[in-house]
Amino acid sequence: MVSHEHLEKCAQLLSRKSTDDEKFAGLLLVPRIVDTQDAESLSYLFEATDPKFIARLLRSKSPQSTHGSASAEAEPEELLQLQIALHIIDVFASHDNIAGDRRMLDHIPQLCELARVGPADVETGAAQVLYKLFVQNTAVGELLNHPDWLLPLLSCTYTGGDRQHLVRLLEYTLPRCSQFIHLHSDDDTHLRGWVSVVTKAASILRLSQNKLKFDYLSILVDTLDPLTTKEAVDINFRYSCWPLVRDISAGCVEILRQKTEATQYSDYALALYAHLGRLWPDFVFSGVAMTAKGEAVEAVEKKEAALALRLMCVEGQAAIDAMMIYPPESSDKLLELDADQVRVKRGWKLTFCADTAAIWLDWTTSWLDSQPTTEDADEEAIYALMGEMQKLASSAVDFLVDWKERVGSMQMLDHASGLVVSTVHFLSQWLATDPNLHKAATPILSMCVDWITNSEEYGGVISRYVMPCITFALDTCGISEEQYKADIKARDLHHHRTLAQDFASPWVGTIELDDLARAVYHIPSDEDVLRKL
């Protein structure tokens, strides 16, 4: 613990009344006499420090970046001043009550400049300080109010040279901006700043032809993840997101088409494309659905959009094929379960493929229902993609049924909840529009019952997904949903399938559908009733 005498002496040196030499000496003393974990003492010294003096040190004449075509040696005194100033700000920024102070935020523009034009150690030091500052919501809000501070950093990563310190900073900063928007989506200035920054990142993803493309692929996945569909719609209503959607889509398709070492990044491309479909489906999918895209319509080109969806089906099928390769059976149950977890990890990209397929099916169905006629619908393109989706859905049904027989439904959810929920989402969308797979998918109904009744975390989500499937199965047989629920409650299951209808669902009249309906509609089963007696 620093003595009161030393603390007061250092504070006097740092005060506005001191000479520049005394202030500089005070800055040198701070890390020597105060432990970086001593927030109270650091706050006291921060209050005593002349912020204008630190700002002047940060503006010390800086040489050209060592990454540029022309560079100059830094003057020793100027370089020392920069290093000391950065070190002191870094120490102060370690504590939340100081990092969010207005006087710290005032240093952000100069720190952004130093992070891209300066000696390597100065650039790295400035990036480290910015990283600490952007932990604070006040700093992120200030950044979004002034996107011109951040945009040069994005441009700088594209100009060549070793800029990994900037890439690492952007990996944290851009998702933080989205997290801030998620919490403060009512500020128009913040939204404008977010759109300009993400649009720039999207253009770099599209234009880059080296490792930087894959860096931005990962950055944009994390950047779009915090947003909800409603927030994305609201943002686009105020500031068009079409340019960023166009560039991200093009970048994803380019990566998915490659057969080189870039294929290892296909899972990130699938995840990013799934986010696009979730947030801005009109931009992503309308080009496929329409017969012709007018000049006034902003949508991904038909060939590009259709190719992306076909490639997604191919990747999804490959993921299922990889997971269908089982290790030799073991007599040790624990070893067998561990092996199953390892096997399932091979197909984790199915999660993104299934999500995208589900969103496309939902959007396409809603879009077709909204059209007064089918004149504007490209039915040939839609049905061609439906054919690809049907193959994927059939494989997904076989995979889930086989998986359940090996480990049990609840173990499936324990091993890969995201994979299970996304696959159920996709199959629910498909089975709610086409009864042809109902017979093969009947075993899945009992799995859904287990998940709905035994999983507090995912039961509600799965219940919402499968409800349209029940309604559709009943509709194909001419049975009222209300009458069906009344029959189940009364235990009067006299309903039968209307065999005269060509596409009647084989689910209706089965114990599996009745059990699922009880779980979804919260109707007590016979066992539940007996337990309460």
Side-chain angles (χ1 to χ4, degrees), residues 176-213:
R176 277 290 290 127
C177 290
S178 295
Q179 292 166 8
F180 183 88
I181 291 296
H182 177 66
L183 298 173
H184 307 86
S185 59
D186 55 343
D187 190 296
D188 200 64
T189 304
H190 292 155
L191 295 181
R192 183 173 64 245
W194 184 90
V195 171
S196 63
V197 168
V198 178
T199 299
K200 180 63 177 180
S203 69
I204 293 175
L205 170 69
R206 180 175 189 172
L207 297 173
S208 298
Q209 297 299 324
N210 50 30
K211 183 180 179 298
L212 191 63
K213 177 184 287 290

Side-chain angles (χ1 to χ4, degrees), residues 290-532:
M290 294 184 296
T291 53
K293 184 169 75 71
E295 293 182 1
V297 178
E298 293 176 331
V300 175
E301 293 294 336
K302 181 182 295 292
K303 289 183 178 180
E304 181 181 301
L307 177 61
L309 290 168
R310 286 198 299 272
L311 290 171
M312 176 270 302
C313 289
V314 170
E315 292 286 351
Q317 184 64 60
I320 291 175
D321 292 342
M323 289 186 290
M324 292 293 279
I325 302 174
Y326 288 88
E329 292 188 12
S330 171
S331 58
D332 189 323
K333 191 64 176 177
L334 290 177
L335 288 178
E336 189 172 339
L337 291 176
D338 289 341
D340 184 70
Q341 288 180 307
V342 173
R343 178 185 62 82
V344 170
K345 287 180 180 179
R346 295 200 298 262
W348 72 290
K349 65 176 65 176
L350 177 61
T351 301
F352 310 120
C353 299
D355 280 336
T356 304
I359 294 167
W360 181 78
L361 286 168
D362 182 49
W363 183 91
T364 301
T365 302
S366 300
W367 184 82
L368 288 172
D369 290 343
S370 68
Q371 301 302 303
T373 67
T374 59
E375 293 181 0
D376 295 331
D378 189 341
E379 294 182 327
E380 182 178 352
I382 292 173
Y383 287 123
L385 283 172
M386 285 286 191
E388 299 292 332
M389 299 285 179
Q390 185 177 30
K391 295 176 186 176
L392 183 62
S394 180
S395 295
V397 167
D398 293 340
F399 163 64
L400 289 182
V401 172
D402 184 70
W403 190 13
K404 190 255 185 181
E405 290 177 353
R406 290 177 179 271
V407 302
S409 55
M410 295 311 296
Q411 289 287 358
M412 293 165 63
L413 201 62
D414 290 340
H415 288 185
S417 56
L419 175 64
V420 169
V421 173
S422 295
T423 305
V424 171
H425 185 198
F426 164 50
L427 288 177
S428 298
Q429 289 292 337
W430 184 263
L431 296 170
T433 57
D434 182 6
N436 290 327
L437 274 182
H438 280 200
K439 184 175 182 180
T442 301
I444 295 178
L445 303 186
S446 61
M447 299 183 213
C448 291
V449 173
D450 287 343
W451 296 327
I452 292 171
T453 56
N454 297 315
S455 174
E456 293 184 4
E457 185 174 0
Y458 301 106
V461 175
I462 293 175
S463 179
R464 290 196 299 272
Y465 284 161
V466 300
M467 191 176 293
C469 298
I470 299 174
T471 304
F472 176 74
L474 296 173
D475 286 345
T476 61
C477 299
I479 297 174
S480 162
E481 183 179 9
E482 292 304 317
Q483 182 59 49
Y484 176 67
K485 290 183 344 186
D487 288 347
I488 292 180
K489 290 179 180 178
R491 270 54 175 188
D492 184 17
L493 304 179
H494 62 271
H495 47 261
H496 299 286
R497 288 186 286 123
T498 307
L499 299 178
Q501 296 195 28
D502 294 335
F503 298 103
S505 169
W507 284 353
V508 179
T510 64
I511 294 174
E512 289 86 354
L513 184 67
D514 294 342
D515 287 345
L516 179 61
R518 288 191 181 95
V520 170
Y521 297 130
H522 305 291
I523 300 172
S525 64
D526 292 337
E527 293 78 5
D528 294 332
V529 173
L530 289 174
R531 276 196 297 268
K532 293 180 180 180

Side-chain angles (χ1 to χ4, degrees), residues 195-209 213 216-217 220 224 240-255 269 272-273 276 280 283-284 298-301 304:
V195 171
S196 63
V197 168
V198 178
T199 299
K200 180 63 177 180
S203 69
I204 293 175
L205 170 69
R206 180 175 189 172
L207 297 173
S208 298
Q209 297 299 324
K213 177 184 287 290
Y216 272 87
L217 186 68
L220 286 166
L224 298 186
S240 176
C241 295
W242 161 240
L244 73 88
V245 173
R246 175 196 62 209
D247 289 346
I248 291 176
S249 176
C252 289
V253 170
E254 181 181 355
I255 292 171
L272 185 53
Y273 200 82
L276 285 187
W280 298 286
F283 287 148
V284 178
E298 293 176 331
V300 175
E301 293 294 336
E304 181 181 301

Side-chain angles (χ1 to χ4, degrees), residues 148-163:
D148 52 303
W149 295 348
L150 188 59
L151 290 173
L153 296 183
L154 278 79
S155 300
C156 201
T157 61
Y158 184 60
T159 58
D162 181 11
R163 293 310 181 107

